[in-house]
Structure formats: C-alpha cells, structure tokens
Amino acid sequence: MWKLTLALIVSLVLGVVLVNAAGAVTLVFEGENYSWIKPTMTVGTGDFKGNDSGGHVYIKLRRPHAENETGPGDDGNTTYKVYVPVAEDYTLWSLVRWYDGCGNSFFTLVDDMSPETPAYITDARYQEWHWVKGKKFHLTVGWHLIRFQNREDGAKLDQFLITTADEFTPTRRMPETSAYLWRPSE
Ligand SMILES: [Ca+2]
C-alpha cells in the first residue's frame, strides 16, 4: 500500500495520474519525444493510427536492405531519460512496425546495458503497427535511461511503455506521461 500511496503522491506532484485501481504503475512515452537521438535513427511522420500529426522514429532502410542476419550497420539510437516513481519490476512494451524478417528488432537497453546483453524486442508481424512485449527489469526510484538502438534496418517505434502490471497487454495508443520524461531545453 505504501508503494501505491507514494506513487499517488508523486503523480499529484507531477500533475498526472498513472496509477490504476489495481495499483499498477504505467509510464508511456512517444518514440519521437526522445531525450537524445543518434543517426541513423530518424524521425518519421505518421503513427499507429495513421495520424499524420503523430510521429515515430525508425532505422532507415539500408540500400540494399540486409537479407540476412548480418548485424546492424551502425549504433543509431534514441535514448529516453525517464523518472521512475516506484521501485518495482517493470515490463517493457513497444508499439512497433517491422519491415520484414530482417528488419524486425531493436536493442532495448536500460541504464548501463550494452548490445552484448541479449536484450532486444522482436516478433514476426510485418508491415503493421502492433505492440511487442519486451523484458522485465527492476528499476529503482529515480532517473533511468532507456535506449532503443539499431539492430536491424527498417524497424519503427511509435510509443513504448513500462508497467508494473503483469496481466496487461496494450492494444491501442496510450496517453503519454510526458512529466516523467527529461528532454533538453530547446
Ligand atoms: Ca509516436
């Protein structure tokens, strides 16, 4: 209960409510609202809903597109500095669109994880936006870095979320909890 109370207090301070009735904490971020970006990660227009005012980030297709598992052409990435209000195990979900079987993954790196860590998201649904479940990881209270990094060209990211809920499968775009994201001042 104290965790729920703490999360509610933090939510009130930050001006958003992210704690549901069951006490789960869910933080949602837009791919295109990153803290830092490194090419060949690129900002694109359009999102899951076909909404042209929305955006995503993606790894540009190589010419020619990789046709086998040759490894990424660079370490292009977006990094998100996020504030975690409750120490807990969090599951990563990502709203992605894959190009094909050789363009269907991102490294998903938390804090000091490196691409040598076998942490990435993938599945076999191509050419349509859908949610993909990632790993569960423990986060302490405070600021953390979450990075989506080039693993295969042609991969796109509209949104991602971290949640303490075990029995939760997102099926649509979620309201962004931007108060929990650090962005450099313009
Ligand atoms: Ca987006």
Side-chain angles (χ1 to χ4, degrees), residues 14-28:
L14 294 178
V16 293
V17 175
L18 55 91
V19 181
N20 70 15
V25 174
T26 301
L27 303 177
V28 183

Side-chain angles (χ1 to χ4, degrees), residues 30-32 47 54-56 157-159 173:
E30 293 286 349
E32 66 275 21
D47 62 18
H56 62 273
L157 174 72
D158 178 359
Q159 292 192 316
R173 281 179 47 78

Side-chain angles (χ1 to χ4, degrees), residues 39-61:
T40 56
M41 190 73 101
T42 305
V43 179
T45 54
D47 62 18
F48 168 65
K49 296 284 283 180
N51 183 354
D52 284 342
S53 65
H56 62 273
V57 289
Y58 69 103
I59 296 296
K60 283 187 173 179
L61 281 173

